[in-house]
Amino acid sequence: MKMGEKMKTIVHVLNTGSYSGAENVVIQIIKKMNEFYPNQYRMIYMARKGPIEERLKKENIEYYLVDKLSFRTVKQMRRIYSPDIVHAHDFTASILVALTKESEKIVSHIHCNPLWIKEWNIKTITYSYTISKYDNILTVSSAVLNEFVANRRIKEKGVVIGNPIDVHEIQKKGKLGSEKEYDVAFLGRLSTEKNPLRYISIVSQLFDNNDKIKALMIGDGLQREECLIKIKELDLENVITMTGFLDNPYELLAKTKILCVTSNWEGFGLMAVEALTFGLPVVATDVGGLKNIVTDECGKLCQTDEQFVHEIEKLLTEKSYYENKCRNAKERAEELDNVEKYMAELNNIYQ
């Protein structure tokens, strides 16, 4: 910080109380910005009350939690903190912040590209109305900019920033070279966008051809009970291990051979990068940001269940094919490592 400059106050606003992909990214932004630019920013995490509080305490991050994110609670936040910048994450938080804007700079940060952004509806109309209020619109992939129904307007302020990726920090949390205990894994929320039910169906087809297959599901969510029912219906209770939410999923991820991503949509696809970091080939749907991460050298983009099953079986049975993709996976992860560049770009936006 230059002589005479005051520390900027930035409030990150989220409309969730959970801890998952976008929440993890915000925590990484706060931690890394303080590391790379010490004493320049005071950052506060604002969100709904929920499990996120335990994580924020553990990370020693200043926070302001509310029962509900609303016009009233956003205005209360401004009275308490008088922020220089409000960094709003995803659509609802961005809209609430924009419609109550005062004098501060607003950054709208879109982490996902749900199917509804492709057509006019109450959400896309409202967000389009607030575009003029944002100083910057950050997105995790070009897919978000291209698929939004008012893409011409959003592109005027849009910056594709991706996600902060620190490969070596991820590797520290796992155990490289661990003995492989699982053939294939799913990592993510058990929710519609991640399509865990399709993953279970793919595992069932793999099991039909190989009754030794061992599968893993890491994550929790609204579709947990549906997943348990389907696993029981397909007689896969001794095939699929469900862990629920894990504070550190990397230890198990490093003990898996392949990551299977069945998402219906994916803004970025951070779980794919995390798997590549441990040398796992990634077999994934051809959607959103995954198209910018997964290549034929380190995995495979698939459309049909048959393509998923064929690629996974090939990886499990052809040793040289698998080992070549594992080497390329680690190289691809190193290419995607961007944490220092990411924070420098964010610092320029804040300044």
Side-chain angles (χ1 to χ4, degrees):
M1 184 185 296
K2 296 178 181 178
M3 186 70 69
E5 287 185 353
K6 76 178 186 74
M7 183 182 290
K8 288 182 184 291
T9 298
I10 302 176
V11 179
H12 293 268
V13 181
L14 298 89
N15 187 36
T16 67
S18 59
Y19 174 64
S20 191
E23 296 80 13
N24 178 53
V25 169
V26 178
I27 287 172
Q28 290 303 310
I29 287 173
I30 293 172
K31 289 174 61 181
K32 292 297 181 180
M33 287 299 289
N34 287 332
E35 179 183 324
F36 285 108
Y37 304 97
N39 302 317
Q40 288 197 30
Y41 302 107
R42 178 194 180 193
M43 293 202 178
I44 299 100
Y45 188 112
M46 179 185 181
R48 300 205 317 254
K49 293 177 181 176
I52 189 64
E53 184 171 9
E54 184 177 340
R55 186 70 190 190
L56 295 169
K57 285 180 179 177
K58 184 177 180 180
E59 299 289 354
N60 196 29
I61 289 173
E62 185 177 0
Y63 61 85
Y64 176 62
L65 302 184
V66 294
D67 292 320
K68 179 182 179 181
L69 193 69
S70 65
F71 293 132
R72 181 179 61 83
T73 53
V74 170
K75 289 178 180 178
Q76 284 177 343
M77 173 273 291
R78 286 193 176 96
R79 285 197 294 271
I80 295 169
Y81 296 104
S82 300
D84 299 288
I85 302 168
V86 178
H87 191 149
H89 297 269
D90 280 328
F91 294 98
T92 300
S94 296
I95 290 167
L96 287 172
V97 168
L99 293 178
T100 58
K101 182 173 183 176
E102 294 184 2
S103 59
E104 77 283 343
K105 176 186 180 82
I106 298 180
V107 176
S108 174
H109 195 153
I110 306 302
H111 296 263
C112 61
N113 62 332
L115 298 178
W116 58 259
I117 71 170
K118 298 180 181 181
E119 58 187 35
W120 288 112
N121 51 60
I122 188 63
K123 290 183 180 179
T124 51
I125 291 170
T126 308
Y127 187 79
S128 297
Y129 172 76
T130 60
I131 286 175
S132 62
K133 307 279 188 179
Y134 308 125
D135 294 88
N136 302 93
I137 298 174
L138 311 184
T139 68
V140 292
S141 69
S142 57
V144 180
L145 292 180
N146 294 331
E147 293 176 10
F148 190 77
V149 64
N151 57 63
R152 187 180 301 174
R153 291 194 63 208
I154 201 173
K155 282 179 179 179
E156 292 175 0
K157 295 186 177 182
V159 176
V160 179
I161 196 169
N163 273 343
I165 299 164
D166 190 336
V167 166
H168 302 293
E169 188 164 307
I170 294 170
Q171 288 174 345
K172 286 179 189 175
K173 295 178 181 178
K175 294 180 180 177
L176 284 173
S178 299
E179 184 179 346
K180 302 296 185 181
E181 297 180 8
Y182 301 95
D183 297 300
V184 61
F186 170 98
L187 172 62
R189 289 189 307 279
L190 304 183
S191 57
T192 303
E193 64 267 32
K194 305 297 181 183
N195 204 351
L197 297 175
R198 185 180 188 188
Y199 170 77
I200 294 169
S201 177
I202 289 168
V203 171
S204 178
Q205 294 171 64
L206 291 167
F207 180 69
D208 288 341
N209 299 328
N210 175 11
D211 62 5
K212 303 296 183 185
I213 197 88
K214 290 295 179 186
L216 182 67
M217 292 184 76
I218 305 172
D220 207 345
L222 295 175
Q223 288 191 313
R224 178 177 175 79
E225 288 303 316
E226 289 180 68
C227 290
L228 288 169
I229 291 169
K230 185 161 187 174
I231 288 170
K232 187 173 183 179
E233 286 177 349
L234 296 173
D235 198 22
L236 298 174
E237 291 156 297
N238 295 322
V239 177
I240 298 178
T241 300
M242 292 185 70
T243 68
F245 172 80
L246 294 178
D247 190 49
N248 178 13
Y250 304 122
E251 290 184 351
L252 280 181
L253 194 61
K255 295 180 181 180
T256 305
K257 295 177 183 176
I258 303 161
L259 181 72
C260 180
V261 182
T262 50
S263 301
N264 286 320
W265 65 84
E266 197 68 61
F268 182 77
L270 187 57
M271 81 294 282
V273 181
E274 292 167 336
L276 294 173
T277 296
F278 294 105
L280 275 66
V282 176
V283 185
T285 44
D286 185 12
V287 297
L290 290 167
K291 292 182 282 190
N292 300 322
I293 295 171
V294 181
T295 67
D296 284 344
E297 286 70 37
C298 65
K300 194 76 172 179
L301 292 172
C302 302
Q303 294 182 345
T304 67
D305 285 6
E306 290 75 16
Q307 290 172 337
F308 270 99
V309 172
H310 178 267
E311 180 64 16
I312 292 170
E313 287 183 337
K314 188 173 182 179
L315 287 165
L316 292 176
T317 56
E318 297 185 19
K319 185 177 179 181
S320 60
Y321 183 75
Y322 176 74
E323 290 178 345
N324 185 53
K325 291 219 174 188
C326 289
R327 285 192 296 271
N328 291 335
K330 290 182 181 178
E331 290 177 5
R332 181 67 179 136
E334 291 291 343
E335 291 173 2
L336 294 167
D337 190 302
N338 69 345
V339 65
E340 189 170 349
K341 180 181 177 183
Y342 184 100
M343 298 307 157
E345 187 166 4
L346 202 53
N347 182 58
N348 286 336
I349 289 168
Y350 286 163
Q351 293 297 336

